[in-house]
Every structure is written in structure tokens, then in C-alpha cells.
Amino acid sequence: MKRLTALAALLGALFIAPLHSEETTVESLLPLDLPPPTIAQSTPTFVPSVMSSVSIAQMGQPQGITLSGGQFQGGVDFTLPVDQVMTSARLALNLRISPALAARNATMQLMLNGQPLGTVPLTATDSDLARYQFDIPAALMVSSNSLSFKINDGDAMQCQRDLSDKYRVTILPDSRFELEGQQLDIGADLSHFPRPFFDSMQMSPAAIAVAFASKLSPDTISAGALIASWLGIQADYRGVSFAAYHDRLPEKNGILIGHPGEQIGGLTLPQTSQPLLKIIDNPANPVYKLLLVVGKDESELRAAAWRLTRGNFAQQTPAVDVDAQTIPLSKPYDAPRWIPTDRPVKLSELIRKDQSLTATGIWHPPLQVAFRAAPDLFLWDGETIPLHIGYRFPTENWIDEQRSWLSMTLNDTFLHNLPVNKQGALETLWHKLGGDARQEQFDMPLEPYMIYGDNQLSLYFNIVPKKDAPCSTLLNNNIKSRIDDDSWIDLSHTRHFALLPNLSYFVGASFPFTRLADYSETVLMLPVNPSETQIATLFDMAARSGNATGTALGHNRVVFGVPTGGSFLELLRDRDVLAVSGMDQHDFNRALLANSPFVTHDSTLGVREPSSWQKVQRWIAGDWAAEGLEADRYFSSNEAWRGFISFRSPWNDARLVVLALGSNDEQLSHLHDDLASAKINAGIRGDAAIITNENGVRSFRVGEQFPSGEMPPHLKIVWYANQHSALLAILSLLVGSLVGGMVYRMLKKRERKRLDAGNSK
């Protein structure tokens, strides 16, 4: 490990003094919208240290930063929580250096917020990996930061045409800043929410504690799910996890949900005649805060939670009495983060406000257009999704128009290379005669299977200079390439139709529960006495749903246990069910799985043997690929596991049940990290997915599937025939044989009558 502490210390001595010519105070380091910390003089308060880290991957570069191909400088912006003051910082820099670049003995300069951090040698090592550490002056770390890299020998390498790809250095995604800071007391003020529980400036995952009274009730869990889903929206790409506390207070920041007068860990919730939001100091340490969400019943708690997510609290507001709230109802497929399917959508509508569809210079990062779609989009065989691209290359005489193109990829699948000029004999001849042959638009048909729940369209202008172009042109950053504003993608002729259950839809977009994104047709189900881990897992599922759709679960309903009557049973008759349990919840599991393809035996999950009539029905339906026996064997051979199972609702055969399950709570707690893994997400499908530490994820299809969506009955017949062509051929042969036999017997009978009549004459 190479250490550059001496250099960093020298830099600190050089730069800290000019940066802080006046005395530095805690108040001077606070952002403008935060008040100075208030600490009682009579009671000394311990100001805790906060250890954290932020990696290049978390800064939005999951593949790292590569300097090559003529682009020998780059960088990344990152932010840090505004309610922390950094006291020490270290940069762990991990590089992969190509042999050709290592042979040049080049160096790379690092800068943070315009201040040089030093240079590192890009030399050969025992492997192609090099690791460095920098001690960073803490005063350089502010809320918004920019880290940049530049190869000092880059200009000379840029002029070596056709060889520049050999010179490559990658700042690996696990390079990171390791930080230590002090938590600031921002005061008991609702106007800062979601701070201090979640800071939009942080780039690392958030962990949020939610506490309840000793007597758990469905209405408090429902309010917690609403808040968790909204925090999932705010966390976005960073991710968020939850910890549930049962009759105990969090050690740091936390959200307390309960009824007036209830006690949580010795703290009594205020008596109130209407819904209440209040933020107070944590008794364990007043630097940390507790947010109280109080209401007498389900409607009041829902109103308080909804008001909290609306924000817009006046400054210096420690408490708010909540009036009645009007919570809008979702319509099918109206999730704001899903691409509309009722019209063509311009690509400019899909990019973030800080993005542009214009590229500057020869070498530039790809233009990224990200969009989400409902996972049940359906097209008939042979139909495609039209993508229209309007584009313009720079008009420079030193560009080799024959070798330059616009490269298009969708979800890492290559689509097409679009040329500068139109292709064809007549177009080429016309261009040589001086005519305008520029191609500036293209219609690309996309196959339906290429569209996922989460999509990334990448566009890269690969500009190649002519061989005799002067070196100065390679450094020209004045040229611009752009995607026109009239570029669009059109999903308006798709239908919403799919076979369920399909767990890949659930892990990708929380579907089918997100068909109505506010969960107005979903029941969240827990055992009668849920554990803290089971509640936290339910909140994680709620946060994933909010993140996928951009809609909070304003109308979710929570049920404890499997109801046998009353209003809760009526709820289940027209709603889907998302449940969380553990194998130790024997009664709950037995009741929930009673009419499903799955069965529990004490602490073992198994597959129910289908009856003879069920086998005949599945054979007639063309369902010949069930893996019940294989799944049963796999379930019985694993002791420690977690995962999902899904099946047709026993209360409504048009609805679905998804159950998140673990062999124990320790295993269930791993589900959050499992779902953060792209590899595990890609492996979850079918109606049963089991995850183990040893084997990763194994998926099976055990039960029957049923069609769900917007398909007219006459088209369902066509779809069924298309899906089961082999069965249709067999049935046609049987029907043809039967009809042919009957016609043959009828004709033979007529023949006998005719012959008998002739003999008698």
C-alpha cells in the first residue's frame, strides 16, 4: 500500500490557512438553511463522531471512471450530508492501468474542489492494479464536491492516432473516501424533514429506525409503511433500509408511531385530540431527534403520515396539529416514474433536469436516457416498439464521415450504428458531387423483450478525425453533437397483459401491487405477533415500491393474521396480498398457505402434491413445465434460506399473493441486501425463489399461472392458441378424427341404404 501522507500533510499546510483566514466556528460550517446548534450550558452534551464512506460507485459511476480513447481527463461530483462537519478524511484510490500506459511512466494528477491533492505514478506493478491512499485536509470536504483526474502526458498521447485505446487507466468503483465527522444539532424543527433521518445530500444508503409501542396495531404499521414508501422515493438510487423497534427507543434518530398516551421505551406519546406531528430531542442524546407521529385511529395516523410527506412546514416549527387530509386515489398504471403508454414520449421528457442531449468535444461520456415501464407490457408476435432518433453530427471538414457514427445501445444490448451520411449508391454519388446526403433521423424498431421494468438507452457520438487532421483538432471542445428534441419512443400500441404469478415482475417493479401505485387494492399482511425483522422487511418492501413508482402508499391497509370473518376478510376479496413471515410463525403460515401449491411442515417449506384432477387440468391448459418435485427436493435440502413464493389468492382467483419468507429472522434480514444485488434480481423468476449464502438464488415454477390484464375475451382465445400451438394441434387432430369418424359412419350408412334400395328394385 503506497502512502502519500507526507505530501498530503504538506498540501494541508499550504491550503488550509488560505482557505480559512478567519477563525472557523461550527456556525460557519452550517448550510444557510440550518440554524446553529443549541446546547444547554448547564448540561454538557456528547457530540458523537460519525464514521462513513462514499465510493466512486455510489457517486454514480458503478463501472468506475475510465480515461482512454483520447479522453485523458475526467471527474465526478459528489455530495455529503449538510448536518455533519468532517474532522478527518482519507481517499483510498484503486487503479487499473494498461501495460502500454504503464510503460510510458506517466503520472495522474488529482484535484478536489479545484485544489491539487497530488500526483500518482502510473507505472507497472506486479499486477495491473495499483492502490494508493491520501490523507485529505478535512477543511476541503464540503457539502458539494468535485473530484477530478488528469493524465499529465495525455496531450501527447492524444496525437498518437489509432493507438490511444492502448493507453487506459480505470479508477475502480471501489475507490472511496473514508470520512469521520461530528453530528450537528439542527434543532427540533419539522421544516428540516426528512433531515436528520435522511439527507438528500448523502450518497450512501440511508438507515432509518421506526419504533412502536408494546402493543402493536395494524394502523401504526400502515402509517409506517406510508412513510417508508415516501422515504424510498426520496432515497432514489441511494437505497434505504429500516430497523423496527418494539417498545424501545432508537439510540440515534428515529420515528415513533403510536396512539395518544402510549409508551415507547419509557417515553409517553402526547395526549392529543387530533393527529399530531412533533419532533423532540432523543433522551439518550439531544443531538439526535425523535419524530412523533400520533393519532387515535387508522384515519388519523394516515392523515398525520400523509401530512408529513407533504412537507412545507414553516421554519422553527417543532409540532403541528394535523387537519383532515385529502389523499388522492391512484388510477391503473398512473405511476409518475413509469413511461406513459397513451402517447409517444420525447426523450427530452425522460432525462433529469441536470442532463442534456448535447455532447461536447470528440470524446465525451455517453448520453444516457433512463426510463421505467410497467413490466406487463404486451405485444403480439411480429409487433415492435418504434424508437425515432433525430441527431446531428458537427459539420467540420476534418471529421472522417465514413468512419464516424452514432452508437445506440439499450440495456447493454447493441442496437445500431447510425452513420453521418445516408448509405446507398445514389446517395454516395450525390454526396461526391457536392450534394447534401446527411442522415439526421432514423426509426429503430425495438423488440418487446428488450423493454424491462428499468431501462437505459445509451447514445454515443463516435467521432473519428481524418488521418491528416492536425493534432489541435483532437483537443477541440468547441464542437457539439446533439440528439434532436423531436426524438421519441412510442409504447401507445402496447397492452397490459401478463401471466401471473411472476416474481421477476415483483422484484423489478413491485408488480402487480403497483398497478395501483398507492396500494389502494393491496393488503399488507403480517402474523398476529410480528417480529421486529418482519416489520422492517415489510417497510423495505414498501420503500422499494415507492422508489419504483414515485408514489407513496397512501391507501395501503395492514392486516395481522389471516382473517376468518369481518371487514378484514372482505378486504381480501378484492385485493392482492403482500405478506411477510418467518418459518417460526406456524399458525400464520399454515392458514395462509392452506389453499396454495405450497405447504409447511414445522420449519420446512414444501410443495403440495397436486390431485389427479389438477394434473388433468394443467395438462389440458398446456402447463407441462411445472417443477414441483424439483422445488420440493430443493426446499427440503436447505436449512438456512430466505426468499419469495407467490400463488393465486384463495379469496379471489383473479388476485395474487406474494409472501416474503425466511427460515428465521436472521435469514430474513438478508433480503434487503439480496435485492440490492443485480445478479440476484436477475435470477428471481417463476413463483418460488429461494436464496442461500452458498448457492445464491434458485427459482422454480410450481403452481398454475393465470392471465391478467387488459385483453378482450376474443383476443384471449387467439392468445391462448398462440401460446399452446402444440396442444391446439393435438386437439385439432382429435376433433378431426372424431368428426371424420362420424362422417365416415354416416356415409357408410347412406351407402348401405342406397345399395339395399337398388337390390330390391
Side-chain angles (χ1 to χ4, degrees):
M1 187 76 65
K2 302 181 181 181
R3 303 282 303 224
L4 300 179
T5 53
L7 177 60
L10 177 60
L11 288 170
L14 290 174
F15 291 108
I16 291 178
L19 285 173
H20 301 281
S21 56
E22 300 180 359
E23 181 181 0
T24 302
T25 64
V26 172
E27 289 82 353
S28 67
L29 296 175
L30 283 168
L32 295 178
D33 63 336
L34 291 182
T38 56
I39 300 175
Q41 297 296 325
S42 59
T43 305
T45 302
F46 170 68
V47 180
S49 294
V50 179
M51 307 295 294
S52 62
S53 68
V54 56
S55 67
I56 294 293
Q58 291 171 337
M59 296 176 191
Q61 301 293 336
Q63 307 301 322
I65 302 173
T66 298
L67 307 181
S68 69
Q71 183 177 359
F72 291 105
Q73 56 182 341
V76 63
D77 296 329
F78 66 98
T79 57
L80 298 174
V82 299
D83 59 353
Q84 295 177 15
V85 174
M86 297 305 159
T87 56
S88 67
R90 175 177 296 176
L91 172 61
L93 185 66
N94 303 325
L95 307 176
R96 176 174 284 114
I97 306 167
S98 66
L101 183 58
R104 291 184 66 90
N105 291 321
T107 60
M108 184 172 69
Q109 182 180 3
L110 282 72
M111 298 191 72
L112 178 64
N113 299 330
Q115 301 292 341
L117 293 180
T119 58
V120 295
L122 304 177
T123 55
T125 60
D126 295 338
S127 65
D128 60 348
L129 297 179
R131 303 182 185 276
Y132 302 91
Q133 284 191 357
F134 290 84
D135 288 328
I136 309 297
L140 291 181
M141 306 297 295
V142 292
S143 295
S144 297
N145 303 274
S146 178
L147 178 65
S148 59
F149 311 90
K150 180 181 180 181
I151 299 178
N152 292 328
D153 198 22
D155 293 348
M157 287 184 282
Q158 282 180 323
C159 293
Q160 299 187 27
R161 294 174 175 82
D162 301 326
L163 295 177
S164 58
D165 284 344
K166 290 185 176 181
Y167 306 120
R168 182 186 307 106
V169 58
T170 300
I171 296 91
L172 297 178
D174 60 351
S175 300
R176 64 181 58 241
F177 282 98
E178 298 171 349
L179 307 167
E180 182 177 357
Q182 286 191 329
Q183 184 74 39
L184 297 178
D185 186 348
I186 65 174
D189 190 352
L190 285 170
S191 67
H192 298 320
F193 185 79
R195 297 192 195 110
F197 313 98
F198 168 76
D199 194 322
S200 60
M201 299 289 282
Q202 72 185 68
M203 306 193 79
S204 55
I208 298 175
V210 186
F212 302 93
S214 58
K215 184 180 180 181
L216 291 170
S217 59
D219 54 358
T220 58
I221 304 299
S222 178
L226 195 164
I227 296 171
S229 64
W230 185 83
L231 289 169
I233 299 172
Q234 308 309 307
D236 201 10
Y237 65 90
R238 308 169 188 85
V240 60
S241 62
F242 292 88
Y245 290 78
H246 188 194
D247 195 22
R248 57 193 181 101
L249 295 178
E251 295 180 358
K252 298 182 180 180
N253 300 308
I255 301 174
L256 276 58
I257 305 175
H259 307 114
E262 283 186 331
Q263 284 196 347
I264 302 178
L267 187 150
T268 302
L269 298 181
Q271 292 287 353
T272 177
S273 59
Q274 63 184 107
L276 173 69
L277 296 172
K278 185 175 183 179
I279 191 164
I280 63 173
D281 295 338
N282 190 324
N285 190 332
V287 172
Y288 296 118
K289 305 302 172 188
L290 299 177
L291 173 63
L292 312 183
V293 181
V294 186
K296 291 184 296 185
D297 52 28
E298 182 179 30
S299 61
E300 287 199 358
L301 283 169
R302 190 186 308 277
W306 181 258
R307 176 63 185 91
L308 179 67
T309 63
R310 299 306 91 191
N312 295 324
F313 297 103
Q315 292 189 357
Q316 304 298 319
T317 302
V320 167
D321 290 325
V322 178
D323 298 326
Q325 300 290 302
T326 301
I327 305 177
L329 273 168
S330 289
K331 297 179 181 179
Y333 302 100
D334 69 347
R337 288 188 175 177
W338 288 0
I339 187 171
T341 57
D342 57 349
R343 60 178 175 84
V345 180
K346 292 184 177 181
L347 299 188
S348 57
E349 298 179 48
L350 302 176
I351 61 175
R352 301 190 311 268
K353 293 181 179 180
D354 60 340
Q355 285 184 296
S356 171
L357 291 177
T358 299
T360 303
I362 296 180
W363 292 286
H364 59 86
L367 304 176
Q368 304 284 7
V369 180
F371 63 95
R372 290 172 172 165
D376 65 339
L377 296 179
F378 173 82
L379 286 173
W380 294 102
D381 290 344
E383 292 184 320
T384 57
I385 297 170
L387 170 64
H388 175 79
I389 296 292
Y391 63 100
R392 288 197 176 186
F393 277 87
T395 55
E396 300 286 346
N397 56 14
W398 49 265
I399 294 178
D400 188 340
E401 296 182 350
Q402 300 300 317
R403 299 169 58 202
S404 300
W405 60 77
L406 171 62
S407 180
M408 302 169 55
T409 60
L410 178 64
N411 299 326
D412 295 327
T413 299
F414 173 75
L415 296 179
H416 208 282
N417 280 333
L418 304 184
V420 179
N421 297 313
K422 298 176 181 177
Q423 305 296 298
L426 293 178
E427 289 82 358
T428 302
L429 177 61
W430 176 248
H431 182 57
K432 289 184 177 180
L433 293 175
D436 183 12
R438 282 270 174 142
Q439 175 173 304
E440 295 186 337
Q441 58 182 358
F442 185 78
D443 291 316
M444 178 73 199
L446 300 177
E447 297 295 333
Y449 66 83
M450 302 181 72
I451 301 295
Y452 303 148
D454 200 350
N455 304 275
Q456 186 88 261
L457 175 65
S458 180
L459 305 166
Y460 180 73
F461 287 92
N462 185 16
I463 300 175
V464 179
K466 294 179 179 177
K467 293 183 179 180
D468 58 352
C471 180
S472 59
T473 62
L474 304 180
L475 306 177
N476 183 5
N477 286 323
N478 192 39
I479 63 171
K480 292 186 181 296
S481 312
R482 65 185 179 89
I483 303 297
D484 290 343
D485 289 339
D486 63 349
S487 302
W488 46 262
I489 184 172
D490 185 8
L491 288 84
S492 60
H493 61 295
T494 61
R495 298 177 184 271
H496 292 287
F497 182 77
L499 280 175
L500 298 178
N502 188 337
L503 286 173
S504 65
Y505 293 169
F506 172 71
V507 298
S510 298
F511 191 85
F513 311 110
T514 47
R515 182 188 285 117
L516 288 166
D518 62 354
Y519 276 34
S520 53
E521 291 188 0
T522 297
V523 167
L524 304 177
M525 187 177 289
L526 288 167
V528 175
N529 295 304
S531 67
E532 293 179 344
T533 301
Q534 290 158 11
I535 296 172
T537 301
L538 184 70
F539 289 169
D540 286 343
M541 299 296 107
R544 284 180 61 85
S545 178
N547 184 278
T549 64
T551 299
L553 310 188
H555 291 280
N556 79 84
R557 297 292 299 272
V558 174
V559 171
F560 282 0
V562 178
T564 56
S567 59
F568 283 152
L569 181 60
E570 290 302 315
L571 278 178
L572 300 178
R573 298 194 189 281
D574 60 353
R575 299 193 181 208
D576 298 300
V577 176
L578 174 57
V580 178
S581 183
M583 289 304 297
D584 58 339
Q585 300 280 1
H586 303 295
D587 295 339
F588 175 77
N589 296 336
R590 193 177 300 112
L592 182 61
L593 301 179
N595 297 306
S596 78
F598 304 94
V599 63
T600 59
H601 304 288
D602 295 329
S603 298
T604 304
L605 180 67
V607 176
R608 197 183 306 274
E609 177 69 21
S611 65
S612 300
W613 173 236
Q614 289 174 327
K615 291 179 180 179
V616 171
Q617 285 180 309
R618 296 179 70 166
W619 188 91
I620 294 175
D623 185 7
W624 307 330
E627 304 170 291
L629 182 59
E630 294 86 346
D632 187 72
R633 289 171 177 169
Y634 190 75
F635 295 161
S636 62
S637 63
N638 286 280
E639 182 177 358
W641 54 270
R642 63 274 182 191
F644 301 94
I645 58 175
S646 183
F647 50 92
R648 208 165 190 164
S649 173
W651 302 282
N652 185 333
D653 60 6
R655 295 290 183 171
L656 193 74
V657 176
V658 174
L659 172 62
L661 191 63
S663 58
N664 52 54
D665 276 357
E666 192 273 333
Q667 285 291 315
L668 190 63
S669 66
H670 292 311
L671 267 184
H672 176 81
D673 293 334
D674 293 333
L675 295 179
S677 166
K679 182 178 180 181
I680 289 181
N681 273 340
I684 295 178
R685 56 187 182 275
D687 57 7
I690 300 300
I691 307 168
T692 64
N693 295 337
E694 297 78 17
N695 302 324
V697 60
R698 282 284 305 274
S699 296
F700 305 92
R701 191 166 71 79
V702 174
E704 64 171 333
Q705 291 183 297
F706 61 95
S708 174
E710 305 167 351
M711 184 77 74
H714 66 283
L715 290 180
K716 275 188 180 181
I717 297 174
V718 177
W719 168 83
Y720 185 87
N722 182 56
Q723 290 293 110
H724 306 291
S725 56
L727 179 61
L728 181 64
I730 294 172
L731 291 176
S732 300
L733 180 61
L734 293 175
V735 172
S737 301
L738 180 61
V739 173
M742 293 174 63
V743 171
Y744 175 78
R745 292 184 61 185
M746 182 182 68
L747 292 176
K748 292 294 291 183
K749 185 176 181 180
R750 290 189 62 185
E751 179 188 24
R752 286 194 298 269
K753 287 182 178 180
R754 181 173 54 83
L755 292 176
D756 290 344
N759 292 335
S760 61
K761 288 181 180 181

